[in-house]
Every structure is written in C-alpha cells, then in structure tokens.
Amino acid sequence: MRTEIVSIGTELLLGTITDTNASYLAQRLAGLGIDCYYISQVGDNMGRLREVLQRAWDRSDLTVTTGGLGPTVDDLTREAIAEVLGEQLTVNERLAEHVRGFFRRRGVDMPERNLKQAALIPSASAVDNPVGTAPGWWVSGPGSGGSSRVIISMPGVPFEMKRMWEQEIEPRLRLLSDTVIVSRTLKVLGMGESAVEQAVFDLMSGSNPTLAPYAKQDGVHLRLTAKAQDEDLAREKIAPLEAVVRERLGNAVYGADDDTPSGVALSLLHAKGLTLVILEVGQGALGSVSPHLSADSAVRATYTARDRDHAMEMLGSSDSELQSVAASAIARSGADMVLAVEAKTTPSAIGAVKAEASILVLSRDGMAFAEATRGQWTTVPAEVPRFVGLVALNQLRLALLAR
C-alpha cells in the first residue's frame, strides 16, 4: 500500500510550529506494515493544496492529511478534496448537531461559520472527534486506472489527531494491512559513519530485512527493519542480521533501541559492584559527564575545576599529572575508580573553537583501566561538552568491559 502524508497549514511553512504530526503518523504507519513513500507540507492556499492532493490521489493508495479542518476561511482541506474528486460539499445535519452540541456543552453560541465543519461530500464518511469540533474524513474512490484510493483527513491539533488516529483510524487500517514492520536500532560509538558503513556495506543490499546507517547525536545508529505477517516473525528475520553486525563491529556497539551511553555505563558499574568519582577539569569538560551520571548511587562524588592547578589545590595533589590528580580524587571520595575528563578550548574560526580533551579511567590501586584517550574537535562552543562527554562515557564503558 503506497502511502503519503500531507501536513496542511501556512504556519508550518513559516516555521512557527514543528510538524510533529507527520513523524508520529510515519511511525504509526510503519507499525502497521504500511509503507510511507512521501511526506509533504503545504500552506493554506487553495491552488497549491489542490495540486498537492491531486498528485497524492494519482500516485498513492492512501493519503493521510492533518490540518485545514477548522472553521475559518483559510481552512481549505474539505474544499480541496471536493475539487479533486469533483464532488459537491453539503452540510450533514447529524454532524451539524455534533458541532452545535460541542458549543452548547460549553455554554456559548456557535458561530455560523462552524457549520462548514459539518460538511461532507458523497465519497466521504465522517470520523468521530469527541474532543474537538472538527470531524475527520474517510474518503474512498477510484483513482487512475480504476484502482482504489483512500484519503484520511484529521485535525491538525495534535491531541485531537492522535485520539482520532488511535481510536478511530488505526483499527480500520489494520483490516487493510496483512503485514507489520518492525525495526531494531543498534548504536555505535568510537567509529564514524563512513567506517561503520564500510564494515557492513555488503549487508545493506538486502530487501527484507534492511540495514541502514544514520549519524545521530549519540553515535552512529544502524537501523535493522523487517516486514512479516506478525511481530514475532519480523523479529526472527532481524535476529541473524543483528548477530552478523554485532560480530563485525564488536564492542563498538554500545547498545540498542532506547539504550544511552550513560545508562549502559551505569548498568556496568552496578553489575560489577563498583563505585565511581567524576573529575571534570577545564571549561570544555564542565558538564560533559556529571549531568548524566552524578545522580546515580554508584557515583560517590563529582569534582569540577577550572584548570589543572585548581584541581590540584582542591584535591590536595602535589603532582600536576592528570593521573596523579585523578588518584587524589579517588582517595578523597573513597570510590573504586575515577573518570577524569580534561578539556580546553581555543578559538579556531568565527563562532567556532578547537577543543582538546584527555580522558582517563583509573582504579583505586593506580592502575589505568585503559590508556588515556586524547581527542581534538573543531565545533561550536556549546557542542564541546557533548562531544567530550560521548567520548568519556564510551571510554568508561570500554574500561568496565575490559575489567
């Protein structure tokens, strides 16, 4: 079933609101095993809206629209669909009573313009909306070549749209689809997107399941997707592919689906019965790790210092080497290990900085869990703690795995 989503409203094109409806609907359609081929946005202009809907009617089996069902003159979805199908709008008295009742229950008079929300065309049936004034539309008819076409139109208000979709629309669509789509996401740190793709490139040509890499803020994501008659069968298709990917990438895969770098590191700390102290040194390191870890019971303390000298003074260290300062943090906190993060920045270009970081994971006996990691990045200042934090959390995870 070829499907597309059309989000309607000039405010979307102006950037004054974010189109969360489209991402929600795309995810829900995927869960039904329905392929979404196109997503578009169009303003409140009859000519352009009619053009977008005509194109959708010609090329897609199912078109899902949100927005443009209000009572004002710039709410044009009904009128545009009527023109595409060449049908006349007429007010449905049952729907009109629904709209009047909505206002009556609130003790206010209904403006006459709201009657347009009770209009239907012969090919449309109303979709209940008990939490708003605008009923949805389910439109059925023949497309080009006589093939069946469906347009589902819902309000743009997110809570109205979601209620209508989940309670009214999705149960009907389940009857039209005999498959489900299931995805699993593997998350990778320590390898760039191109390196990850190179490692699994030959696995990316399959059609069911499929494999695709994406660069995200918490590393590189590999999305494995399968289609089958039910969820269990789809997961059975994914499992062998996941096993091969994990074998190739090894410990670079830090988690899956909802896992986070901090959550994985904390789970390993608890599993091994270890406690941690955090040391952040330098402007680029402040807030890189502590906000993600410090609230957990496995973290004994967090020390922050503006520079190495400040850290020595605060922790009573007589040696300026990072390893010695980190050892002092262990001694003062009584933790089993320390995650020491040091980062400084220097101007690189207009609006950008060069960040240099050193990261060390050290045990109580002074033995490093892993060699100190050093990195350099050129980025905007606000991004430095995020970059440094990802590397530090990954270093902590790898050190714990090696213990």
Side-chain angles (χ1 to χ4, degrees):
M1 185 185 298
R2 297 182 305 276
T3 303
E4 64 183 278
I5 298 167
V6 179
S7 300
I8 300 163
T10 300
E11 65 274 15
L12 295 169
L13 304 181
L14 295 174
T16 56
I17 66 171
T18 301
D19 187 8
T20 57
N21 286 350
S23 59
Y24 167 85
L25 289 169
Q27 292 176 42
R28 302 294 292 206
L29 286 165
L32 295 171
I34 298 175
D35 297 312
C36 182
Y37 285 13
Y38 310 99
I39 296 177
S40 57
Q41 297 176 338
V42 61
D44 301 310
N45 175 277
M46 176 58 81
R48 291 188 288 273
L49 177 54
R50 183 177 60 243
E51 176 187 352
V52 168
L53 291 177
Q54 183 67 63
R55 183 176 62 209
W57 183 260
D58 291 339
R59 71 185 180 184
S60 296
D61 303 303
L62 170 64
T63 302
V64 181
T65 79
T66 64
L69 295 182
T72 62
V73 293
D74 61 349
D75 290 307
L76 300 168
T77 301
R78 300 178 194 84
E79 290 84 348
I81 295 174
E83 289 198 14
V84 169
L85 271 69
E87 298 183 5
Q88 186 69 36
L89 279 162
T90 56
V91 172
N92 178 284
E93 188 51 41
R94 182 185 69 83
L95 296 180
E97 182 54 31
H98 162 78
V99 177
R100 293 189 188 100
F102 187 91
F103 285 91
R104 191 164 51 242
R105 289 189 295 273
R106 285 155 179 76
V108 296
D109 293 332
M110 184 194 78
E112 282 303 306
R113 69 176 60 180
N114 280 82
L115 273 181
K116 71 177 288 185
Q117 296 180 295
L120 287 176
I121 58 175
S123 295
S125 59
V127 180
D128 286 344
N129 180 14
V131 295
T133 59
W137 273 20
W138 184 296
V139 181
S140 300
S144 58
S147 56
S148 177
R149 294 288 192 261
V150 172
I151 296 178
I152 296 168
S153 293
M154 296 179 292
V157 180
F159 79 87
E160 292 186 35
M161 184 274 297
K162 289 181 180 179
R163 190 268 168 202
M164 185 177 291
W165 178 267
E166 293 170 13
Q167 301 300 320
E168 311 293 340
I169 303 298
E170 197 166 280
R172 292 177 65 177
L173 285 179
R174 287 186 184 278
L175 301 177
L176 303 180
S177 177
D178 58 358
T179 59
V180 299
I181 296 175
V182 173
S183 291
R184 174 135 168 103
T185 301
L186 299 183
K187 299 182 175 182
V188 179
L189 274 174
M191 297 177 67
E193 184 181 14
S194 58
V196 171
E197 182 182 75
Q198 182 175 330
V200 299
F201 185 76
D202 60 307
L203 305 176
M204 294 168 55
S205 58
S207 59
N208 191 22
T210 61
L211 176 67
Y214 301 90
K216 299 289 186 178
Q217 286 207 326
D218 58 345
V220 178
H221 290 191
L222 284 167
R223 189 181 64 200
L224 297 76
T225 304
K227 182 183 289 189
Q229 285 70 39
D230 59 53
E231 186 173 323
D232 289 340
L233 288 174
R235 294 194 183 281
E236 286 179 13
K237 290 177 178 287
I238 289 173
L241 179 59
E242 178 177 347
V244 175
V245 172
R246 286 183 177 274
E247 181 180 4
R248 292 191 184 181
L249 299 182
N251 285 341
V253 178
Y254 74 82
D257 295 333
D258 295 329
D259 288 337
T260 63
S262 58
V264 171
L266 289 170
S267 294
L268 286 169
L269 276 171
H270 286 286
K272 294 177 180 292
L274 296 171
T275 56
L276 179 73
V277 59
I278 299 167
L279 172 63
E280 296 174 338
V281 181
Q283 189 65 37
L286 301 185
S288 61
V289 172
S290 53
H292 308 289
L293 300 180
S294 59
D296 192 87
S297 61
V299 179
R300 288 284 181 88
T302 296
Y303 301 116
T304 60
R306 60 181 176 271
D307 53 34
R308 189 84 64 88
D309 290 341
H310 182 207
M312 290 173 62
E313 178 184 350
M314 177 174 57
L315 297 170
S317 175
S318 58
D319 190 331
S320 64
E321 289 297 317
L322 182 60
Q323 183 162 333
S324 297
V325 179
S328 298
I330 293 179
R332 174 160 294 202
S333 66
D336 297 310
M337 57 191 297
V338 60
L339 173 59
V341 185
E342 183 179 43
K344 58 183 178 180
T345 61
T346 54
S348 174
I350 297 175
V353 294
K354 178 182 178 181
E356 297 184 41
S358 296
I359 297 152
L360 178 67
V361 183
L362 192 71
S363 65
R364 188 198 296 269
D365 59 9
M367 296 294 292
F369 276 67
E371 292 297 320
T373 294
R374 292 176 175 83
Q376 293 185 353
W377 304 270
T378 299
T379 183
V380 295
E383 283 289 278
V384 173
R386 185 180 70 82
F387 275 99
V388 173
L390 277 178
V391 176
L393 289 168
N394 194 47
Q395 187 72 8
L396 175 60
R397 176 184 69 90
L398 293 173
L400 289 167
L401 287 174
R403 182 173 171 81

